[in-house]
Amino acid sequence: MSKRVLVVEDEEHILEGLVLNLELEGYDVTTATDGEEAVDRFKQERFDVIVLDVMLPKMDGFAVCETIRLENRQVPILFLTAKDGGQDRVEGLKIGADDYLTKPFNLEEFLLRVNKLVERTTSRSEPEQRSVYSFGPNEVNFSSFQIKTHDGQSKQITAREAKLLQLLINHKDEVVSREQILEKVWGYDVFPSTRTIDNFILNFRKYFEENPRKPKYFHSVRGVGYRFTN
């Protein structure tokens, strides 16, 4: 079965060249030309690797990468960008990219990097894809949506609760704004009341805090957002 690649690139001539060469290598290629379309494609289909430009209309590549990582931590992501600054490279890798290539790039090197990412993924065994995070007496299983609470109880949480937990944990010790949460957890086209987020945080405190009135893990930052500490 052909390996499936999602190529996200808004420059038409670059996109056409990447698609042609990937197809010559035997890949089944799907394309997107802006960040919102990329997220839609990702949610609708399965891919073995994602090639992602950084400078995109509607939603930049970093935001796309973060959104994907909230739902899938395994699919390899290769950033393509005209920016060659060290800070951009660090930022891309920090939010979950597997590799980073600056434009202009050598086509043979690009194909080799894609091939290596696909090979690395297909060699992983299924049990390694299980994702569990522990803090204090608590535990979250992002695969089964099961949690262990501060008093040892097992509970089932919703997919959206798991996604919000994943976002806060991925940004441990950082303040995550309400706007970031609404965009990445609820989606760029759905904006519930910020009170909805407050209710989710209150639930997390009930689940995970020994004293919800004096939280150790889930903190509100007045007028800004929320921070997870461990």
Side-chain angles (χ1 to χ4, degrees):
M1 184 182 294
S2 296
K3 297 299 180 182
R4 307 193 69 246
V5 183
L6 173 61
V7 179
V8 189
E9 172 60 66
D10 65 325
E11 294 186 51
E12 186 176 351
H13 68 286
I14 295 178
L15 181 62
E16 290 176 352
L18 294 176
V19 171
L20 174 62
N21 283 276
L22 286 166
E23 288 180 341
L24 287 173
E25 289 285 306
Y27 289 104
D28 180 3
V29 184
T30 298
T31 64
T33 56
D34 65 61
E36 291 183 1
E37 184 184 10
V39 172
D40 283 340
R41 294 285 192 190
F42 164 74
K43 289 182 176 180
Q44 294 167 10
E45 304 176 49
R46 180 198 63 80
F47 298 101
D48 296 288
V49 64
I50 297 173
V51 177
L52 181 59
D53 188 23
V54 172
M55 304 294 287
L56 292 168
K58 298 184 180 179
M59 187 178 187
D60 70 30
F62 291 150
V64 173
C65 180
E66 282 193 298
T67 302
I68 289 172
R69 284 293 178 247
L70 289 174
E71 297 191 17
N72 187 310
R73 303 179 74 181
Q74 281 76 46
V75 62
I77 297 176
L78 168 63
F79 269 129
L80 293 180
T81 179
K83 292 185 173 183
D84 59 359
Q87 187 55 45
D88 290 314
R89 183 184 298 269
V90 169
E91 178 65 19
L93 296 174
K94 181 179 177 182
I95 62 176
D98 297 271
D99 205 350
Y100 202 105
L101 199 56
T102 55
K103 303 174 184 176
F105 51 84
N106 180 283
L107 189 57
E108 185 176 3
E109 179 186 1
F110 164 74
L111 293 172
L112 283 170
R113 287 178 184 243
V114 171
N115 288 336
K116 285 190 175 295
L117 288 174
V118 171
E119 287 173 4
R120 191 176 76 189
T121 305
T122 53
S123 67
R124 288 174 179 166
S125 60
E126 191 66 27
E128 292 177 332
Q129 296 183 14
R130 187 177 177 87
S131 180
V132 177
Y133 184 84
S134 299
F135 54 103
N138 307 292
E139 185 176 279
V140 183
N141 187 314
F142 293 107
S143 299
S144 65
F145 303 150
Q146 288 276 343
I147 63 170
K148 186 173 77 173
T149 64
H150 69 90
D151 55 359
Q153 295 186 50
S154 293
K155 288 183 179 290
Q156 187 81 28
I157 60 173
T158 66
R160 186 152 282 152
E161 284 180 309
K163 194 180 287 190
L164 178 53
L165 280 170
Q166 183 81 77
L167 178 63
L168 294 171
I169 289 168
N170 284 351
H171 290 270
K172 186 178 73 168
D173 298 324
E174 300 175 15
V175 177
V176 181
S177 71
R178 290 186 175 87
E179 289 73 20
Q180 284 178 283
I181 292 171
L182 291 173
E183 177 185 340
K184 293 180 172 64
V185 177
W186 271 265
Y188 42 79
D189 56 351
V190 179
F191 291 95
S193 163
T194 54
R195 183 63 187 166
T196 303
I197 306 174
D198 293 336
N199 289 333
F200 273 60
I201 299 298
L202 288 174
N203 284 338
F204 293 165
R205 288 173 178 164
K206 290 176 184 177
Y207 299 154
F208 303 120
E209 304 281 5
E210 291 185 14
N211 184 350
R213 293 182 177 275
K214 295 182 178 180
K216 178 179 179 182
Y217 305 108
F218 296 91
H219 308 275
S220 299
V221 181
R222 186 182 296 274
V224 183
Y226 306 92
R227 184 177 68 246
F228 171 78
T229 59
N230 179 13

